[in-house]
Amino acid sequence: DTGVSQNPRHKITKRGQNVTFRCDPISEHNRLYWYRQTLGQGPEFLTYFQNEAQLEKSRLLSDRFSAERPKGSFSTLEIQRTEQGDSAMYLCASSLARSANTDTQYFGPGTRLTVL
Amino acid sequence: AQSVTQLGSHVSVSEGALVLLRCNYSSSVPPYLFWYVQYPNQGLQLLLKYTSAATLVKGINGFEAEFKKSETSFHLTKPSAHMSDAAEYFCAVIAAGAGSYQLTFGKGTKLSVIP
C-alpha cells in the first residue's frame, strides 16, 4: 500500500494558462475526492468519483474546472484560464467505501498551485 | 447541511501538558466525525473517527476524542503534549445518511508545543 500520490507537488503558472494535476489513489479504492485548501482555511470539497462516475460537484467547481477518472483508477483535475484566485493547495483523497460509516478518506500530499 | 466550528485558530501548550482542541458540529442527521492532522506542506493524516459506535474514540499518537451529542461536541485531547505534536489539526464531519460523502472541515487549529 503506497498511499495516495499526487503530481506535480508544486506548479507555478502565469494567469491565463491551463494546468493539469494528477492523482493516483490507493489501489482498489473505488472513491476518489478532490479538495481545495487556501491559506488559513480547511480543505473545501470540489468533487468526487465512484469508480469512473463523477457523482457530486461543488459550486466551487466553476466551468473552468474539469475532473476526470477515465478508467476508475487515476484522476486528473484541469483548470483552464487560471486566475490568481485559483492559487491554493489541491488535495486528492481516496476511500474504499461500502457505506458512510466505512468511508475513511486517505489524503495525498497535495499539489500547490501558484498563479502569477 | 452540516458544519464544523473549531474554537481557537492557535493553541499553545507546554511540552508534557494536556492538549485540548475544541470542535463543535452542526448536522441535521447523525454525523460521522473525524480529526485529521496536517504537518507543513503535507497532506492530511487521519487521527481518529467517530461512526456511532463507542462515544470515546482512541486514535493514533495517544490522541482521543469524545462524542457528546448533548453538547454537539467532539473535542480532541492528549494527556501529555510532545514536541512532535506541533501541527495543524482539522475537525471534519460527514452527514451520515444524507447521500453525500464529502467531508466538511473546520478552519483548523494550529498547535504549538513549547519546550
Side-chain angles (χ1 to χ4, degrees):
Chain A
D1 184 351
T2 57
V4 179
S5 62
Q6 293 187 245
N7 288 288
R9 293 292 308 276
H10 303 273
K11 178 70 177 179
I12 299 174
T13 191
K14 293 182 179 179
R15 188 177 53 186
Q17 297 295 303
N18 299 344
V19 294
T20 300
F21 311 139
R22 176 177 170 128
C23 171
D24 288 88
I26 293 172
S27 179
E28 298 182 355
H29 274 194
N30 58 343
R31 290 209 180 118
L32 187 148
Y33 304 77
W34 286 99
Y35 292 83
R36 183 178 73 181
Q37 185 179 22
T38 53
L39 203 60
Q41 301 294 319
E44 296 173 292
F45 171 78
L46 292 177
T47 188
Y48 96 91
F49 294 83
Q50 180 152 320
N51 300 313
E52 65 275 9
Q54 189 173 16
L55 295 186
E56 191 172 356
K57 292 194 287 186
S58 162
R59 59 177 173 75
L60 294 176
L61 210 69
S62 75
D63 56 5
R64 296 185 298 105
F65 288 69
S66 63
E68 294 182 342
R69 194 184 183 198
K71 296 182 180 179
S73 57
F74 73 92
S75 175
T76 57
L77 178 67
E78 181 183 16
I79 308 174
Q80 296 182 324
R81 306 181 303 280
T82 53
E83 301 173 355
Q84 288 183 328
D86 297 332
S87 295
M89 175 80 89
Y90 290 84
L91 293 164
C92 176
S94 71
S95 69
L96 178 60
R98 298 178 182 88
S99 63
N101 66 342
T102 62
D103 192 35
T104 299
Q105 296 177 32
Y106 296 91
F107 283 80
T111 295
R112 182 168 295 283
L113 172 66
T114 301
V115 181
L116 301 176
Chain B
Q2 64 273 14
S3 65
V4 164
T5 302
Q6 291 185 242
L7 296 176
S9 59
H10 197 171
V11 170
S12 292
V13 300
S14 297
E15 190 175 16
L18 171 72
V19 176
L20 171 60
L21 304 181
R22 300 177 186 274
C23 171
N24 288 88
Y25 69 90
S26 172
S27 177
S28 57
V29 296
Y32 295 142
L33 293 157
F34 303 79
W35 276 99
Y36 283 86
V37 60
Q38 186 176 36
Y39 297 97
N41 298 314
Q42 294 188 25
L44 283 76
Q45 180 183 6
L46 179 69
L47 280 177
L48 50 80
K49 64 177 182 178
Y50 165 76
T51 57
S52 74
T55 56
L56 182 62
V57 182
K58 295 187 184 296
I60 62 171
N61 302 339
F63 285 94
E64 64 181 36
E66 186 172 9
F67 173 71
K68 292 186 177 180
K69 184 178 179 181
S70 60
E71 299 178 7
T72 60
S73 69
F74 190 58
H75 302 330
L76 183 70
T77 60
K78 182 174 180 177
S80 177
H82 192 272
M83 296 297 294
S84 61
D85 295 327
E88 191 152 22
Y89 293 79
F90 293 93
C91 183
V93 64
I94 286 178
S100 172
Y101 300 98
Q102 61 173 278
L103 285 164
T104 299
F105 286 87
K107 292 187 175 183
T109 298
K110 189 171 183 179
L111 176 66
S112 298
V113 182
I114 305 165

